[in-house]
Amino acid sequence: NSPGLLLIYNGMDLYLKQQPNGKIFHDPLAACIAVAPSIARFQEVKLYRKQGEWGARLAKKTHTFITIAVDKEHFFHVFTQS
């Protein structure tokens, strides 16, 4: 068993005891990055909105990071390891 999948399992088990109608697991990539940040490469940015569109510019000391690349093989390994 992987620690990441166990964490997700335990969290969902607790949630489903309180919400018997269920929950959609909509972002497995984000869940895996939360337990194995090395799956992704991040860049510090400043977010902006211009003419109704969102964007990001490289910036320092913002404490806002976005994912700029994903190691697909590493993600798959973390997601499926047992």
Side-chain angles (χ1 to χ4, degrees), residues 43-47 57-65:
Q43 184 69 54
E44 191 170 14
V45 298
K46 180 175 181 164
L47 299 176
R57 291 188 181 94
L58 296 178
K60 295 187 185 268
K61 299 181 182 179
T62 64
H63 304 289
T64 302
F65 293 84

Side-chain angles (χ1 to χ4, degrees), residues 46-81:
K46 180 175 181 164
L47 299 176
Y48 69 88
R49 185 172 171 98
K50 184 175 181 180
Q51 298 177 351
E53 299 291 325
W54 288 97
R57 291 188 181 94
L58 296 178
K60 295 187 185 268
K61 299 181 182 179
T62 64
H63 304 289
T64 302
F65 293 84
I66 61 171
T67 302
I68 60 167
V70 173
D71 182 333
K72 293 176 186 176
E73 289 181 21
H74 190 188
F75 161 66
F76 187 75
H77 173 75
V78 170
F79 189 62
T80 61
Q81 71 180 337

Side-chain angles (χ1 to χ4, degrees), residues 9-67:
Y9 177 85
N10 288 338
M12 288 304 299
D13 185 51
L14 179 63
Y15 179 86
L16 292 172
K17 286 178 182 173
Q18 298 172 4
Q19 303 291 328
N21 290 334
K23 177 72 176 162
I24 296 173
F25 185 40
H26 70 276
D27 199 342
L29 177 60
C32 288
I33 290 172
V35 297
S38 60
I39 290 171
R41 196 165 38 136
F42 301 93
Q43 184 69 54
E44 191 170 14
V45 298
K46 180 175 181 164
L47 299 176
Y48 69 88
R49 185 172 171 98
K50 184 175 181 180
Q51 298 177 351
E53 299 291 325
W54 288 97
R57 291 188 181 94
L58 296 178
K60 295 187 185 268
K61 299 181 182 179
T62 64
H63 304 289
T64 302
F65 293 84
I66 61 171
T67 302

